[in-house]
Amino acid sequence: MNLNSQKKTTNFILLIASFVIVSLILWNTNSFFKNFKEEERHKMEIWATAQSELLQSSEDRDLGNLHVKIFQNNTSTPMILENIDGSLRTNNFPEDKVSDSLYILKQIEVFKRENTPINIDYKGEHLATLYYGNSEVLNKLKYYPIALLLIIFLFAAVIFFFFKTNKASEQNKLWAGMAKETAHQIGTPLTSLLGWNELLKAENINSEITKEIEKDINRLQNITDRFSKIGSLPKLEEQDIVQETRNAFEYLKLRSSQLINFSFTSHINELPVQLNSSLYNWTIENLVKNGIDAMKGKGNIAIEIIPDGKYVNILVADTGHGIARSDFNSIFNPGVTSKKRGWGLGLSLVRRIIEEYHKGKIKVLSSTKEGTIMQITLKKSD
């Protein structure tokens, strides 16, 4: 049995054990409630018997202290005694309700539903009927199972979110480890390429060739730098958001198909923002490339920078097939992709870079069949 199967078996056993424990607690609570209710019934029957003797006793007859104690000790159960002549007596009722006949009649109906009325008879003669309700303690106990279920539900929710957060943390560590290992693996051949390019320069090879090779080496170094920053807190520096966005835009424009029409608009000339340039450029590249993929290599890509009080919004728009509204949030989750061969990591990394590293926000501003607009929101430097 592998580790994953063992974990599933353990979780299943814990689930069954929890269900059994909860069932036993509820069963025990229900049994206690029934026993308590029977005890109250027994107490009412004793009270009714004492009342029967009181009704049949003569005025000069001494009933002793027992009857008095029975009457005095019942201070919690609300009661209504209906005599044979139709007169009503109440016990353990609010003082302001004792004289309210309509309220008393309604309570009789309530008490009938809660408990079977007790007939007070003496030697075959019906003397009165006792209606009684549940005591305050019994009413509170009635809601105990609900409170218990709520506590168990909240506890289960805490456990669920704990394991979910723990799983997300493990995934983050995995992606961070893979990213750092990728950066490490690229580093070795990259060092070799630097050496070979220097040798080509020494051999007086066409300088245009070595310049292009140098550009690609710099690009690889930039990619290595990006991967090495995943999983650790990158250093943020004050940068001009307009210039940084333009740099990423121009880089992609020069390396994209001529069938893509690029447009860049900024409502400000410059604006300082705390940025990690390498990771921010990676974000813009990811969003633009996603837009190009959505348009299948033909259409319009537009980037617009709009100041908004203490914040600045960077809009990346495409004329692709659009995103379903139900997927607006899920597309940022790891593994979610519309591409047949995609891994679903691009937008997940974008959200991590913007929200975790730069404390900003990213969302799908709008999306229709005519295209999609993604919005990045960052805070201006103080």
Side-chain angles (χ1 to χ4, degrees):
M1 184 182 292
N2 58 38
L3 185 61
N4 193 39
S5 298
Q6 288 179 343
K7 189 174 182 180
K8 287 182 177 179
T9 302
T10 302
N11 290 340
F12 180 75
I13 292 172
L14 288 174
L15 181 64
I16 295 297
S18 300
F19 178 77
V20 170
I21 291 170
V22 170
S23 300
L24 288 173
I25 291 173
L26 292 176
W27 176 81
N28 187 60
T29 303
N30 186 56
S31 298
F32 179 72
F33 180 81
K34 287 182 178 179
N35 291 336
F36 196 88
K37 197 172 180 68
E38 288 175 2
E39 288 292 329
E40 285 210 343
R41 177 78 179 183
H42 183 59
K43 184 172 66 173
M44 289 298 98
E45 288 174 347
I46 294 173
W47 192 94
T49 302
Q51 185 68 27
S52 172
E53 293 187 6
L54 178 64
L55 291 173
Q56 287 298 315
S57 65
S58 59
E59 293 183 0
D60 57 347
R61 181 184 173 188
D62 185 12
L63 295 176
N65 294 327
L66 179 60
H67 291 74
V68 176
K69 286 186 177 180
I70 290 174
F71 295 142
Q72 289 180 343
N73 286 339
N74 185 16
T75 59
S76 60
T77 306
M79 298 179 296
I80 300 173
L81 183 67
E82 184 180 17
N83 294 310
I84 195 170
D85 60 0
S87 61
L88 300 174
R89 279 179 51 199
T90 61
N91 193 20
N92 300 324
F93 265 69
E95 291 184 5
D96 59 330
K97 298 293 184 181
V98 172
S99 59
D100 189 342
S101 58
L102 184 60
Y103 174 79
I104 299 299
L105 292 174
K106 287 182 179 179
Q107 286 303 109
I108 289 176
E109 297 301 319
V110 172
F111 291 171
K112 282 181 181 179
R113 291 193 296 270
E114 290 182 349
N115 299 289
T116 304
I118 298 174
N119 292 321
I120 300 176
D121 301 323
Y122 187 79
K123 294 182 180 181
E125 180 185 358
H126 179 68
L127 302 176
T129 303
L130 177 64
Y131 304 97
Y132 70 97
N134 294 329
S135 66
E136 186 178 353
V137 175
L138 196 60
N139 282 329
K140 289 181 179 179
L141 187 63
K142 184 169 57 177
Y143 297 107
Y144 177 74
I146 299 174
L148 182 64
L149 285 174
L150 181 61
I151 292 170
I152 292 170
F153 173 77
L154 292 174
F155 180 74
V158 170
I159 295 296
F160 171 76
F161 284 113
F162 170 76
F163 281 111
K164 186 177 180 181
T165 304
N166 190 51
K167 183 178 180 181
S169 178
E170 289 179 356
Q171 288 179 339
N172 287 337
K173 288 179 180 178
L174 176 62
W175 296 128
M178 290 177 63
K180 290 183 180 295
E181 180 61 21
T182 301
H184 177 71
Q185 293 295 334
I186 293 175
T188 302
L190 187 58
T191 303
S192 179
L193 285 173
L194 284 168
W196 283 109
N197 195 46
E198 291 301 320
L199 285 175
L200 290 175
K201 289 180 180 179
E203 294 292 332
N204 294 321
I205 300 295
N206 188 338
S207 60
E208 292 299 322
I209 295 175
T210 55
K211 283 181 180 179
E212 289 302 316
I213 293 175
E214 195 166 337
K215 287 181 182 178
D216 289 333
I217 289 173
N218 290 335
R219 175 64 176 168
L220 285 172
Q221 286 177 325
N222 191 27
I223 292 171
T224 302
D225 181 56
R226 289 173 179 176
F227 276 107
S228 66
K229 286 183 170 67
I230 298 297
S232 57
L233 193 63
K235 184 180 179 181
L236 303 183
E237 297 177 346
E238 190 172 280
Q239 304 286 348
D240 178 11
I241 189 70
V242 178
Q243 188 58 47
E244 290 298 327
T245 307
R246 191 188 298 276
N247 290 342
F249 170 82
E250 293 294 340
Y251 176 84
L252 291 167
K253 182 178 179 180
L254 293 173
R255 287 159 178 77
S256 298
S257 168
Q258 295 298 317
L259 299 175
I260 305 294
N261 298 316
F262 285 86
S263 65
F264 180 89
T265 305
S266 178
H267 296 257
I268 45 175
N269 293 325
E270 59 178 334
L271 183 66
V273 173
Q274 291 295 319
L275 282 181
N276 181 281
S277 299
S278 179
L279 293 180
Y280 174 73
N281 290 345
W282 194 6
T283 295
I284 298 298
E285 289 174 20
N286 265 312
L287 294 179
V288 171
K289 287 178 180 177
N290 278 353
I292 293 173
D293 290 339
M295 299 186 302
K296 297 182 179 179
K298 183 179 180 181
N300 301 319
I301 292 288
I303 294 181
E304 186 175 7
I305 300 176
I306 306 172
D308 183 17
K310 294 182 179 180
Y311 300 90
V312 59
N313 297 321
I314 300 94
L315 308 183
V316 180
D318 64 65
T319 54
H321 51 69
I323 302 167
R325 180 168 291 276
S326 58
D327 295 332
F328 275 17
N329 291 322
S330 62
I331 59 169
F332 294 101
N333 295 333
V336 177
T337 179
S338 59
K339 303 172 188 176
K340 292 182 179 180
R341 298 182 181 180
W343 285 65
L345 296 179
L347 288 178
S348 175
L349 283 171
V350 165
R351 182 167 69 175
R352 181 167 185 158
I353 290 169
I354 296 300
E355 296 188 358
E356 292 188 26
Y357 296 159
H358 290 85
K359 306 304 178 186
K361 292 289 182 182
I362 182 167
K363 66 178 181 179
V364 181
L365 186 63
S366 66
S367 188
T368 63
K369 292 181 180 180
E370 284 71 39
T372 300
I373 302 176
M374 306 292 287
Q375 176 178 289
I376 297 171
T377 302
L378 297 173
K379 188 176 181 180
K380 299 177 183 178
S381 293
D382 296 329

